[in-house]
Amino acid sequence: MRRLFPVTDQTSARSQDGADREWSLDELADAYAYPALAADGRWLRANMVSTLDGAAQHEGRSQPISGETDMRIFGTLRALADVVVVGAETVRQEGYRPARAREAFAARREAAGQGPAPAIAVVTASMDLDFSLPLFTSPLVPTLVVTGAAAPSDRVAEAEAAGAEVVVAGEGAAVDAARAVRELAARGLRRQLTEGGPRLLGQFVAADVLDELCLTISPTLTAGGAQRIAGGPSVTVPHRLAPACVLEEAGFLFTSYRRI
């Protein structure tokens, strides 16, 4: 792996050589470390993958446009987070399972005051989820279901019976993206990672609560009508981000952009 653009000062000196080699998990964790947070602060980053022609999926899933190193970074970003925030459609399409504890990151998480694995927070208005899945019945850390106050009461009860914690983040059925971020932070889940899908990421962008985008650019073309990485209504003024890091391996570009 080669660095094409210097990362911020937080990066370990071990990763300054730019050598064309496989980086260790520690080096990746240093490169993608969350910034220092104030006592009442939080940081929301997104991790997405896109083809050269802008597709975020192929045949409804991101896996076909991903790669081995992309998955290593995916795992590293999860291991650094307090919570992984994901839309219900992505849970259904990608077959989400509970996050697992990883020995390689155990000491780092303990030093940061984190539990053994991040929680998964599923954002849903309809509560159309299968609460018999391991994501809800047997996670290492209880799964959260983020919904609106008008969510179907029977589905809320079913979620709670399965062991999930229901978080209300909206006055109606829909979830208020900015409120969801605040509600999770209020529970001590301040290092936040969203893995989409595109509709949820679009809501975070529109609410102006996204602090960082980690985007893998896959050296592939798919054509067709696949979604972009962020969907929904456009913002009035485009949000400008600053590059923090660009890495390259096997034609894949692994980029990180942060709020200015």
Side-chain angles (χ1 to χ4, degrees), residues 84-92 120-129 143-148 167 169 173-177 180-181 184 194 196 199-200 203-204:
V84 178
V85 190
V86 63
E89 181 63 21
T90 298
V91 167
R92 291 188 289 264
I120 304 292
V122 184
V123 178
T124 175
S126 67
M127 300 287 289
D128 181 17
L129 295 163
T143 295
L144 300 99
V145 177
V146 184
T147 191
V167 178
V175 172
D176 180 312
V181 169
L184 293 172
T194 181
R199 183 164 52 185
L200 179 61
Q203 292 170 1
F204 286 134

Side-chain angles (χ1 to χ4, degrees), residues 78-101:
R78 279 196 161 200
L80 297 174
D82 296 327
V83 61
V84 178
V85 190
V86 63
E89 181 63 21
T90 298
V91 167
R92 291 188 289 264
Q93 291 283 347
E94 302 281 356
Y96 262 59
R97 298 185 62 82
R100 59 189 178 90

Side-chain angles (χ1 to χ4, degrees), residues 85-259:
V85 190
V86 63
E89 181 63 21
T90 298
V91 167
R92 291 188 289 264
Q93 291 283 347
E94 302 281 356
Y96 262 59
R97 298 185 62 82
R100 59 189 178 90
R102 299 182 62 187
E103 182 61 32
F105 297 98
R108 186 182 292 265
R109 290 188 65 86
E110 183 177 3
Q114 296 172 303
I120 304 292
V122 184
V123 178
T124 175
S126 67
M127 300 287 289
D128 181 17
L129 295 163
D130 183 353
F131 295 114
S132 69
L133 293 176
L135 177 62
F136 302 102
T137 61
S138 57
L140 187 61
V141 180
T143 295
L144 300 99
V145 177
V146 184
T147 191
S153 58
D154 59 331
R155 300 296 290 163
V156 170
E158 189 174 347
E160 292 175 334
E165 177 183 352
V166 176
V167 178
V168 175
E171 296 306 319
V175 172
D176 180 312
R179 181 172 167 182
V181 169
R182 294 195 303 269
E183 292 287 348
L184 293 172
R187 288 163 171 77
L189 305 173
R190 302 190 299 129
R191 303 174 188 90
Q192 300 174 2
L193 169 68
T194 181
E195 296 169 352
R199 183 164 52 185
L200 179 61
L201 179 55
Q203 292 170 1
F204 286 134
V205 171
D208 197 20
V209 293
L210 186 71
D211 299 295
E212 180 180 1
L213 173 63
C214 298
L215 176 64
T216 294
I217 302 173
S218 171
T220 55
L221 295 167
T222 63
Q227 289 179 295
R228 296 160 50 193
I229 64 167
S234 63
V235 298
T236 304
V237 178
H239 299 172
R240 185 72 179 268
L241 303 180
C245 181
V246 180
L247 307 174
E248 184 273 340
E249 184 177 72
F252 284 82
L253 295 180
F254 307 98
T255 74
S256 173
Y257 290 85
R258 291 186 169 185
R259 178 191 292 274

